[in-house]
Amino acid sequence: MRYFDVVVDDNGEPMPNATVRFRDSIPPQLEIIPTVFIVNDCMKKDVSDLPEKMLRRILQMNETHHVGKVKEIQIDCDWTGSTRKTFFSFMEKLKTLAKEQGIRLSSTIRLHQLSQTPPPADRGVLMMYNTGDFTQLSCEHPILDMRDVKPYLPALRRYKLPLSTAYPLYRWKIVFRNGRYIGILHTDDELPVLPGDSIAIRQPELSEILEAKEAVSKQQARANDEVILFDLNNSNITRFKHTDYEEILNH
């Protein structure tokens, strides 16, 4: 569950944003992995005290909302070569603090990060989605396109961090005006749609998800020991039949 984001405020300081709202109690049998998305620009700042602040906020949210024993927290950050040193230092410190609480630390891994040294985490989650540029009308498969994925996969064979793999279920309704990107329609009235605008539907098909999973298995079979489907909201769940989910999970 995505607990909150960390962004850079107007003063150039990392700060929490978009905190999740708990509308109901969490079923005790449900295991929650608090996830925090960190904007990469934060790693260009002084984040020496961020691990303590972040862990404290997560533990406070768990207590406030009666979330049961948390065994793992996950960090999602699209770090790059220029922010790698700061991000790895942040992760090393957070991993130590989390371990003192009996909590594992995991990190999302993007395809372009597979060729680099893994971050200091207990495990990673490979993100097999957002492979293309959704702002370009000519990009018909921005969520998952194996032509974009395949060049990165050979690095999986020598990747040292234990991995699970996440595959996409979601769809985008993208508004273009005169061929230029306007935005993503999450709700029908979120953006003004003018006469002449184009709304492009982008979504992965079952065959593409299965192809991606098979390609991962060929490089590192254990990366599919745990399969994650992103994300399981009501509209995404109904896109596929229960037999499709069985095929994805057992393929």
Side-chain angles (χ1 to χ4, degrees):
M1 177 183 291
R2 189 159 161 177
Y3 268 33
F4 55 90
D5 300 345
V6 179
V7 301
V8 177
D9 66 11
D10 293 338
N11 296 318
E13 297 297 328
M15 65 168 291
N17 185 42
T19 300
V20 67
R21 295 182 180 180
F22 290 79
R23 296 183 178 179
D24 205 345
S25 59
I26 302 295
Q29 69 275 17
L30 189 66
E31 181 180 351
I32 300 295
I33 299 178
T35 301
V36 179
F37 173 72
I38 304 177
V39 174
N40 187 43
D41 282 349
C42 291
M43 293 298 135
K44 300 175 183 178
K45 310 296 181 180
D46 179 11
V47 293
S48 56
D49 61 349
L50 186 59
E52 292 95 340
K53 290 181 178 179
M54 183 179 298
L55 183 59
R56 187 184 313 121
R57 184 180 178 89
I58 291 172
L59 295 177
Q60 287 174 345
M61 290 177 66
N62 291 343
E63 183 177 357
T64 300
H65 300 288
H66 307 290
V67 178
K69 175 63 176 175
V70 167
K71 301 176 182 178
E72 178 182 331
I73 59 176
Q74 186 172 115
I75 301 301
D76 180 10
C77 181
D78 190 7
W79 53 272
T80 60
S82 62
T83 58
R84 174 186 175 278
K85 183 177 180 181
T86 301
F87 178 70
F88 278 34
S89 177
F90 158 82
M91 288 290 287
E92 191 69 61
K93 189 170 184 179
L94 180 58
K95 182 181 178 183
T96 299
L97 293 171
K99 186 177 181 180
E100 293 173 356
Q101 299 290 331
I103 299 174
R104 298 188 303 268
L105 178 64
S106 62
S107 174
T108 56
I109 306 296
R110 287 161 174 78
L111 287 165
H112 71 86
Q113 296 168 343
L114 282 175
S115 60
Q116 303 185 55
T117 302
D122 295 300
R123 73 183 194 101
V125 174
L126 178 61
M127 296 169 58
M128 287 289 288
Y129 49 85
N130 293 0
T131 61
D133 186 354
F134 62 88
T135 66
Q136 298 298 315
L137 182 59
S138 59
C139 183
E140 297 182 356
H141 302 277
I143 295 176
L144 177 60
D145 191 330
M146 289 306 297
R147 292 173 297 181
D148 296 325
V149 170
K150 285 180 178 178
Y152 296 101
L153 291 185
L156 257 176
R157 292 188 177 184
R158 56 184 180 274
Y159 200 70
K160 302 299 183 182
L161 194 66
L163 291 173
S164 301
T165 306
Y167 299 94
L169 297 180
Y170 59 92
R171 68 201 297 262
W172 283 331
K173 295 171 68 176
I174 309 176
V175 180
F176 292 92
R177 185 168 301 148
N178 298 321
R180 295 182 61 185
Y181 169 78
I182 300 299
I184 296 177
L185 274 176
H186 297 99
T187 59
D188 290 339
D189 58 353
E190 183 175 11
L191 294 172
V193 179
L194 307 181
D197 286 354
S198 299
I199 299 179
I201 306 298
R202 306 303 193 207
Q203 61 187 31
E205 301 301 328
L206 175 62
S207 59
E208 295 170 319
I209 297 172
L210 294 176
E211 182 184 1
K213 187 181 177 187
E214 183 176 355
V216 168
S217 289
K218 286 181 178 179
Q219 300 296 338
Q220 188 190 124
R222 64 182 183 275
N224 278 325
D225 286 349
E226 180 185 59
V227 170
I228 299 167
L229 300 177
F230 179 75
D231 62 342
L232 291 174
N233 64 33
N234 289 336
S235 59
N236 292 336
I237 288 176
T238 56
R239 283 195 56 225
F240 297 104
K241 302 187 295 292
H242 73 275
T243 53
D244 296 333
Y245 288 108
E246 291 177 1
E247 189 171 2
I248 293 172
L249 296 174
N250 298 321
H251 182 71

